[in-house]
Amino acid sequence: MNRATTHFCQPQSCGSSIWPSFTCVLSLAVHPRDSDPLQARQMRNWVQVMKVPTLGHSLPRTGSAPKPSERVDPEVPSHHASQTPPGFVTRLKFPQETQWQRQREAAWPGSPCVGKIVMAAAAKHLTPVTLELGGKNPCYVDDDCDPQTVANRVAWFRYFNAGQTCVAPDYVLCSPETRERLLPALQNAIARFYGDDPQRSPNLGHIISQKHFKRLQGLLGCGRVAIGGQSDESERYIAPTVLVDVQETEPVMQEEIFGPILPLVSVRSLDEAIDFINRREKPLALYAFSNSSQVVQRVLAQTSSGGFCGNDGFMHMTLASLPFGGVGNSGMGRYHGKFSFDTFSHHRACLLRSPGMEKINDLRYPPYSLRNLRVLLVAMEERRCSCTLL
């Protein structure tokens, strides 16, 4: 238990006011209800293996249910079951009806379709849910940029883990002129990262399942392949691929790709790029590259997304000081650092007052008068102090 997480569990003072109780000694606080700092020790190893975002998920004793990927090795949860605290459930399948009744919080990553199923099941028992759902993350590249710098960063976080990350850029928006500058730069970046034969590179992952390989292989037929496009079903390998001349109505632009395929979509201006982004569902992440800070700020101000990075890729989710989560179709709730603790705990309002001085309470008891009303109105004004004298 580090100093920061210990601090999260302490009651937080909220000042005071005359209004709530008309007493000379009044203490107001918010208590993180049902939280137990000792649970962090029990959860430490389990959290690391199951990749729960931070210890903030485990500190509050809310009976939350972190859900690992269905592809996690079955030995992982069983191996760490002895270290999982009471009230927490590790599962590889959708919870049964009886399990929902026992949960006071559920955290669930997945697709928007799965998110709707989870919310419907949780609603029967009014179980709060935190959903991290992904989506199609746009990446705008301005004309005013260094193409090789942009290509290095985009190629790294597009093809990281073979594109199988929820915050990877799903498509690039740029002008036709920038596209022609970007293509050779992307080719250089791919060769630099993965060599002349990416299939033999130890730095490039393969597709996680045959089902997803087949789905991605079908997307290679969209638009025109400008870079890559090779595949090997026996190894579930798909080369780092760049598509051009992609139409908005094609399948590759209708679903989250979740693989090493990057469509380049041509737009004529920044206004058109922003309109394109805003016509679609709100993404989990949004990226903008430009040498002009005004351009980056404009994309930030005129769009909505779970997270945003200017001139970089998905580094925002590595910082515990920034919240991570979706908005709208890309999810709800947020976590990382103290944001996790706040999400998975209930902040219980607490007022403590003296049992004496009952005579002062005559002001709030009937029969009412205009004089008492004036005093009550004054008392309702906020006071920022440790105690209030009437």
Side-chain angles (χ1 to χ4, degrees), residues 8 34 37 39 42 65 95 104 115 120 122 125 128 131 159 180 190 214 219 232 282 285 302 309 319 327 329 366 368:
F8 296 163
D34 294 333
Q39 282 194 307
Q42 294 175 286
R104 283 177 283 172
H125 306 285
L131 301 175
Y159 304 121
E180 295 309 309
I190 292 170
K214 287 290 189 182
L219 297 181
D232 184 341
K282 296 179 180 180
Q302 297 184 10
C309 262
L319 303 176
V327 58
N329 199 63
Y368 303 118

Side-chain angles (χ1 to χ4, degrees), residues 53-239:
T54 64
L55 285 177
H57 188 286
S58 65
L59 286 174
R61 188 176 296 175
T62 55
S64 52
K67 175 261 183 189
S69 167
E70 288 82 358
R71 301 292 175 180
V72 169
D73 187 341
E75 296 300 319
V76 171
S78 61
H79 177 70
H80 290 270
S82 61
Q83 302 190 37
T84 303
F88 287 80
V89 177
T90 61
R91 60 172 62 93
L92 297 179
K93 297 181 180 179
F94 195 79
Q96 301 299 318
E97 186 73 17
T98 54
Q99 292 176 311
W100 279 113
Q101 296 175 14
R102 294 195 298 268
Q103 302 310 317
R104 283 177 283 172
E105 182 76 39
W108 204 276
S111 67
C113 292
V114 172
K116 294 174 184 178
I117 297 172
V118 172
M119 283 199 70
K124 296 179 182 179
H125 306 285
L126 298 181
T127 301
V129 294
T130 296
L131 301 175
E132 186 260 285
L133 303 179
K136 295 195 70 64
N137 305 315
C139 177
Y140 174 70
V141 179
D142 190 37
D143 290 342
D144 182 12
C145 70
D146 175 57
Q148 192 59 62
T149 298
V150 173
N152 291 342
R153 298 179 187 184
V154 170
W156 172 66
F157 70 97
R158 167 70 272 190
Y159 304 121
F160 180 86
N161 195 36
Q164 297 167 112
T165 61
C166 60
V167 289
D170 239 49
Y171 59 94
V172 168
L173 295 170
C174 62
S175 68
E177 295 76 19
T178 296
R179 187 189 76 176
E180 295 309 309
R181 298 162 58 211
L182 202 56
L183 280 172
L186 284 168
Q187 182 72 73
N188 291 338
I190 292 170
R192 174 186 169 190
F193 296 163
Y194 308 114
D196 295 331
D197 185 4
Q199 187 171 1
R200 300 292 167 246
S201 172
N203 301 307
L204 181 67
H206 289 209
I207 307 307
I208 194 169
S209 70
Q210 194 71 17
K211 173 185 175 182
H212 287 295
F213 174 83
K214 287 290 189 182
R215 178 184 62 83
L216 291 168
Q217 198 174 41
L219 297 181
L220 293 174
C222 298
R224 175 172 63 86
V225 174
I227 299 173
Q230 300 85 3
S231 63
D232 184 341
E233 186 172 355
S234 65
E235 296 185 9
R236 298 199 303 272
Y237 164 78
I238 291 181

